[in-house]
Amino acid sequence: MSDRIVEMVLKFRTVLQTTEQLEPTEITAYQQQLLEPLLRHAQRNVPFYRERLMPILSTGGLDMSRWANVPILTRAEALTNVSALTAKVIPPHVGVVSASETSGSTGIPLPHKKNELMDVASLGMTDRLYRWWKFNGNLALASFISPFKEFGPPPDGSRKVEWRPGYPKGCLLYT
């Protein structure tokens, strides 16, 4: 994990610690402040969402009371509209974009694009769980599931240092 990603995760950690304590009305306002630019970007740059987001964006502002009028994206739609679901313009602040796919555990793998900001969000939310569960990132953590395609076979497995951002003494053991 690059130093830049670690730094972003640590910043996101602080944001999560602050926002998780907000009152319901405050968290709703905070979420809408983040959602509106994201939804406007999707409507402008993701062909699939150009018309689909009209129920909540057609009034000039974001109308969350009409959220139920936005059809749920089905897996079948996602599989048949991969290109139309890909943004034509990517803001530079999201970082490097790369191709990925789901594991296919429920059927056919779903190809998609991901960016570094998605990785930061995922790592940050996992870090929040570690904090809630009081996992000490400076200790070793063992896992039977490796995120790597190739890992060392038992009994030695593989090691990854600093498995939790900001805790440089910990190591993750894959067997």
Side-chain angles (χ1 to χ4, degrees), residues 40-145:
R40 289 203 181 284
H41 168 78
Q43 189 181 43
R44 280 191 312 271
N45 298 292
V46 181
F48 186 86
Y49 284 115
R50 198 157 284 132
E51 296 297 320
R52 201 164 180 123
L53 293 174
M54 288 301 289
I56 57 174
L57 294 172
S58 62
T59 61
L62 176 61
D63 185 356
M64 291 300 290
S65 69
R66 300 181 68 200
W67 186 256
N69 296 336
V70 177
I72 294 171
L73 175 66
T74 67
R75 181 176 182 77
E77 287 175 314
L79 282 167
T80 58
N81 292 284
V82 171
S83 179
L85 283 162
T86 302
K88 302 308 176 205
V89 175
I90 307 294
H93 71 271
V94 302
V96 176
V97 176
S98 60
S100 189
E101 66 179 21
T102 63
S103 67
S105 62
T106 61
I108 300 167
L110 177 64
H112 62 277
K113 302 280 184 180
K114 68 178 200 155
N115 59 58
E116 287 178 319
L117 193 55
M118 290 174 52
D119 291 335
V120 168
S122 178
L123 288 165
M125 290 184 291
T126 301
D127 181 76
R128 176 170 55 183
L129 289 175
Y130 292 150
R131 178 173 46 86
W132 286 350
W133 297 336
K134 299 181 180 7
F135 280 30
N136 183 341
N138 282 319
L139 298 178
L141 177 68
S143 176
F144 296 103
I145 302 170

Side-chain angles (χ1 to χ4, degrees), residues 2-33:
S2 74
D3 290 343
R4 188 172 74 77
I5 297 293
V6 170
E7 181 182 333
M8 291 170 67
V9 171
L10 296 177
K11 286 179 182 177
F12 192 48
R13 174 188 292 166
T14 302
V15 169
L16 289 174
Q17 286 175 318
T18 302
T19 57
E20 70 190 31
Q21 301 299 319
L22 294 176
E23 295 296 324
T25 55
E26 294 172 313
I27 193 71
T28 298
Y30 178 74
Q31 288 170 335
Q32 287 186 14
Q33 160 199 333

